[in-house]
Amino acid sequence: MDNKLQAKDLINVGIFTALYYVIMFAGAMLGYIPVLFILIPLYMPIITGIPFMLFLTKVKKFGMVTIMSLLLGLIMFATGHTWVPIMTGAICGILADLIFKAGKYQSLKHSVIGYGIFSIWIMGAMLPLWIMRDSYIAYIRNSMGDEYTNAVLALTPDWVAFAVIGAAFAAGIVGAFFGKAVLKKHFQRAGIL
């Protein structure tokens, strides 16, 4: 098997990144409700589990997941988020790619754990609440108003950052099993056991 990424691989990355982002964007609209904004890392990996697990049936080469996560981070940055999703996308994408490669792109266990790690990338959209709090809160206040901002502040003490990272990983595990259950025939055809 040729380990270099081909045009077909990059086309798959592009298609599945677009599909993942559209579903993620639709789900993120619930974030206009402050408590659901904080829960985005909990429900997002579950609803994006189906397109991601379908993508994994096409992934056979290292780098495809990293490219996808970097593209997602860049799209987030281009749509008004900070640079942090690019960083979390790069870190989580590379780690997930290494896990998928360790399972030779055929292991269900590696696919599930890899998607759990990949799912933490979404925290890039929320980490500014803790690592650049003052400027990010000013940004939220300017775009969403005082009532929304005060509700978000009340829901985000420091310890919540760690809880939400753990929740994103756990939701990724759930999303992987959900995606696998929905796409059982695709997994069988791809030889992922």
Side-chain angles (χ1 to χ4, degrees):
M1 176 168 67
D2 184 12
N3 288 327
K4 292 183 180 176
L5 293 175
Q6 306 293 323
K8 178 181 85 168
D9 300 319
L10 297 176
I11 290 168
N12 275 327
V13 169
I15 290 169
F16 283 98
T17 300
L19 180 62
Y20 182 101
Y21 183 76
V22 166
I23 293 169
M24 185 186 79
F25 182 80
M29 290 295 105
L30 295 173
Y32 284 106
I33 302 167
V35 71
L36 294 179
F37 171 72
I38 303 306
L39 295 177
I40 284 175
L42 182 60
Y43 68 81
M44 195 62 66
I46 296 170
I47 64 175
T48 56
I50 294 171
F52 190 87
M53 295 308 278
L54 183 58
F55 174 57
L56 279 189
T57 66
K58 310 290 184 192
V59 173
K60 303 294 177 211
K61 296 177 185 168
F62 185 84
M64 291 176 72
V65 174
T66 301
I67 293 170
M68 178 188 212
S69 61
L70 281 171
L71 287 173
L72 289 166
L74 287 167
I75 293 168
M76 296 285 280
F77 180 71
T79 57
H81 290 268
T82 67
W83 53 268
V84 179
I86 299 170
M87 181 190 68
T88 58
I91 293 167
C92 294
I94 290 169
L95 290 174
D97 245 335
L98 289 169
I99 292 167
F100 298 135
K101 184 177 181 181
K104 299 183 174 118
Y105 306 102
Q106 299 293 307
S107 165
L108 177 61
K109 178 177 88 172
H110 286 83
S111 296
V112 169
I113 293 169
Y115 182 58
I117 295 296
F118 175 86
S119 297
I120 297 171
W121 87 269
I122 194 68
M123 282 301 298
M126 298 185 69
L127 282 176
L129 280 169
W130 294 282
I131 63 173
M132 48 181 68
R133 193 164 181 93
D134 293 340
S135 61
Y136 195 67
I137 290 298
Y139 168 76
I140 293 174
R141 192 175 305 280
N142 188 40
S143 60
M144 301 298 285
D146 288 336
E147 187 177 337
Y148 182 90
T149 304
N150 292 338
V152 167
L153 282 170
L155 294 167
T156 57
D158 289 343
W159 66 268
V160 170
F162 299 105
V164 177
I165 290 170
F169 176 76
I173 300 294
V174 171
F177 281 115
F178 178 60
K180 185 213 179 264
V182 170
L183 303 165
K184 187 175 182 179
K185 289 182 182 179
H186 292 281
F187 271 72
Q188 290 169 343
R189 265 185 265 150
I192 299 174
L193 306 169

